[in-house]
Amino acid sequence: MSKKKPKKVRAEFRKNRLAPARDDDWTRQFNAHGFEQKDTLREQRVSGKGEMTRRRTVMADVADDANTDRTDVMLDVDHSVCLAGRVLSVHGLTSLVQAIDGRLFKCATRRLLKTLSTEQRHVVAAGDRVLFRPADQQEGVIERIEPRKGILSRTSKGRQHVMVANVDQMIIVGSAAEPYLKPHLIDRFLISAEKSGIRPIICINKVDLIDRADLQPLVGVYAQMGYAVLLVSAKTGLNVNRLQRLLRGAASVVAGQSGVGKSSLLNVIEPGLHLRVAAVSVESQKGRHTTTTSRLLPLDCGGYVVDTPGIRQFQLWDIIPQEVAAYFRDVRPYVSLCRFPNCTHTHESFCAVKDAVADGRIDTRRYESYCQLYEGDLA
Ligand code: GDP
Ligand code: ZN
């Protein structure tokens, strides 16, 4: 969709670089990173003109897309010396990167990348697809971050903090009983997924405890909206193989209230994995991780489980009431038919949404869920 075209990009120096030791530094950077020779020369010329001109021009591909954030600036890198990899986790200035062949590297980040993405709190995020230059068998330097999609982020102090990038799907786990099913919670997770552009998969666990026919009306409502719904049991193993097939080759975030059986399901799919998930949750409860640390946990069957502690507690919820209807697939088609353009679909007359509820085209429970989310269940 987004067309790429090579473009010159002006990159500002970071503050601590405003008075560079001229020649040496450029030479070293050129050697280390392979900047275009002509750009280096040009900057040598202007670098005496004071702070306003202390910028450098680099060649890059820029996604031709209105939504481009600055990480979508794709720097030219020397592919012959770089490996492709996936960032499993970020620890301060160091990222743990898994190369395509499975080897792990501790990577620093190329300085130029940091200067290009001033909008982000962290330049590199867990889940990023990167090109990195290995220095030896264990360490390297991230040279380029590929454009992201499927981002789970949090806004703090007006800045978007990407917690994890390139998430393919969200497995929304509920339990049929113990604790009893909370469809409203599923709806909340669905909104998070819709907003982030992540494919939701609804997974109702513990169906060994109930009569599955009782769930059919609910399953029908979600299926009609085009959502995948799985009825599973970690205890009996029912449909766990179907869940496993869905996880294969994808990066999946697993969301759901505590006690619904997320760890149990992961444990059936890959024994040992849940222990690694649990270890982080325990640590974060003790407050050792004040910032939420996301990790990708590689699965033996291929793919990753994305462990994002924040999503379970809805720390990622930054949806305003006016947005809610757009993320309800069943409500959305009626919104433009309401009499008042600013209709909230709660108390207004001549509301096409309420009409649709009245004659059964929108499920009543879903509408109640909408009202609840609209009216302040947004904390
Ligand atoms: P989590 O908090 O979502 O990770 O949930 P857990 O995996 O820790 O499971 C919570 C409780 O539910 C445990 O006591 C599990 O043994 C139980 N449980 C998990 N899956 C099933 C299931 O499919 N059927 C039944 N009957 N119990 C289950
Ligand atoms: Zn309306």
Side-chain angles (χ1 to χ4, degrees):
M1 272 199 314
S2 62
K3 230 172 53 208
K4 299 279 164 52
K5 61 178 183 193
K7 208 170 175 177
K8 284 177 188 156
V9 176
R10 300 285 282 170
E12 286 177 43
F13 284 112
R14 294 196 310 164
K15 285 200 181 64
N16 65 351
R17 306 271 305 162
L18 282 178
R22 248 178 80 171
D23 298 340
D24 273 15
D25 205 56
W26 278 112
T27 317
R28 216 176 330 128
Q29 292 238 353
F30 176 71
N31 290 339
H33 303 305
F35 287 161
E36 302 253 319
Q37 180 84 47
K38 59 180 182 334
D39 296 323
T40 313
L41 290 174
R42 183 178 317 155
E43 294 309 313
Q44 291 283 345
R45 262 194 291 115
V46 300
S47 65
K49 285 188 184 169
E51 298 201 351
M52 292 308 288
T53 56
R54 283 194 204 284
R55 293 174 170 216
R56 47 188 149 161
T57 306
V58 295
M59 297 305 290
D61 282 341
V62 179
D64 206 6
D65 178 331
N67 300 323
T68 300
D69 75 1
R70 298 194 63 186
T71 49
D72 276 2
V73 174
M74 303 266 285
L75 297 173
D76 278 346
V77 298
D78 182 353
H79 288 257
S80 65
V81 295
C82 283
L83 293 177
R86 193 85 187 256
V87 176
L88 299 185
S89 55
V90 179
H91 312 271
L93 297 173
T94 311
S95 305
L96 182 64
V97 177
Q98 186 182 39
I100 290 210
D101 61 14
R103 284 183 295 160
L104 296 177
F105 291 82
K106 280 185 180 160
C107 290
T109 306
R110 175 182 176 179
R111 187 185 292 275
L112 183 57
L113 267 184
K114 295 182 198 161
T115 60
L116 282 175
S117 35
T118 48
E119 257 105 277
Q120 244 100 37
R121 198 129 65 97
H122 301 289
V123 184
V124 186
D128 269 333
R129 292 192 172 87
V130 297
L131 284 178
F132 71 100
R133 178 195 291 258
D136 55 31
Q137 291 303 312
Q138 283 155 22
E139 296 189 352
V141 177
I142 294 174
E143 298 277 322
R144 186 164 101 176
I145 303 172
E146 307 295 345
R148 295 165 172 161
K149 65 177 174 68
I151 293 172
L152 285 176
S153 67
R154 170 155 53 176
T155 313
S156 99
K157 293 178 189 144
R159 286 174 136 201
Q160 190 195 29
H161 176 200
V162 175
M163 313 201 47
V164 56
N166 304 312
V167 179
D168 299 302
Q169 52 193 19
M170 182 186 289
I171 313 291
I172 301 172
V173 185
S175 62
E178 302 176 18
Y180 60 86
L181 192 63
K182 299 183 183 66
H184 178 65
L185 210 50
I186 295 177
D187 294 335
R188 284 186 63 153
F189 281 117
L190 282 174
I191 290 185
S192 288
E194 295 278 1
K195 171 149 187 170
S196 311
I198 297 171
R199 179 164 68 110
I201 293 170
I202 300 166
C203 183
I204 300 174
N205 187 36
K206 306 199 192 184
V207 296
D208 55 287
L209 297 174
I210 49 112
D211 180 352
R212 268 186 276 160
D214 294 344
L215 284 177
Q216 276 320 310
L218 186 88
V219 171
V221 167
Y222 287 120
Q224 216 166 24
M225 285 183 262
Y227 292 121
V229 189
L230 280 180
L231 302 184
V232 302
S233 168
K235 191 173 177 186
T236 66
L238 179 83
N239 286 336
V240 171
N241 58 342
R242 285 185 62 198
L243 178 60
Q244 181 165 22
R245 268 203 301 278
L246 285 169
L247 293 178
R248 199 173 289 163
S252 314
V253 63
V254 182
Q257 197 193 353
S258 117
V260 294
K262 298 181 296 296
S263 323
S264 307
L265 284 168
L266 291 175
N267 197 33
V268 177
I269 286 165
E270 186 169 323
L273 182 73
H274 78 293
L275 292 175
R276 288 186 275 153
V277 177
V280 161
S281 317
V282 170
E283 279 174 37
S284 48
Q285 271 159 23
K286 281 192 207 145
R288 211 184 299 170
H289 291 270
T290 40
T291 54
T292 321
T293 314
S294 306
R295 300 181 307 166
L296 264 61
L297 302 165
L299 290 166
D300 289 343
C301 65
Y304 303 89
V305 165
V306 180
D307 186 46
T308 308
I311 190 151
R312 286 180 232 131
Q313 293 94 42
F314 279 107
Q315 288 167 6
L316 302 175
W317 190 265
D318 59 355
I319 288 163
I320 57 169
Q322 290 74 18
E323 281 182 305
V324 175
Y327 297 123
F328 266 70
R329 285 190 189 177
D330 41 355
V331 170
R332 189 171 49 202
Y334 299 101
V335 166
S336 61
L337 306 174
C338 298
R339 164 83 56 96
F340 307 109
N342 58 349
C343 186
T344 66
H345 327 298
T346 53
H347 62 272
E348 293 88 347
S349 37
F350 311 109
C351 169
V353 173
K354 291 199 322 191
D355 288 348
V357 176
D359 60 23
R361 285 171 291 150
I362 293 177
D363 179 58
T364 306
R365 190 209 56 77
R366 280 278 295 176
Y367 176 67
E368 285 164 1
S369 200
Y370 165 80
C371 292
Q372 222 176 319
L373 288 166
Y374 181 84
E375 276 161 4
D377 179 21
L378 290 165

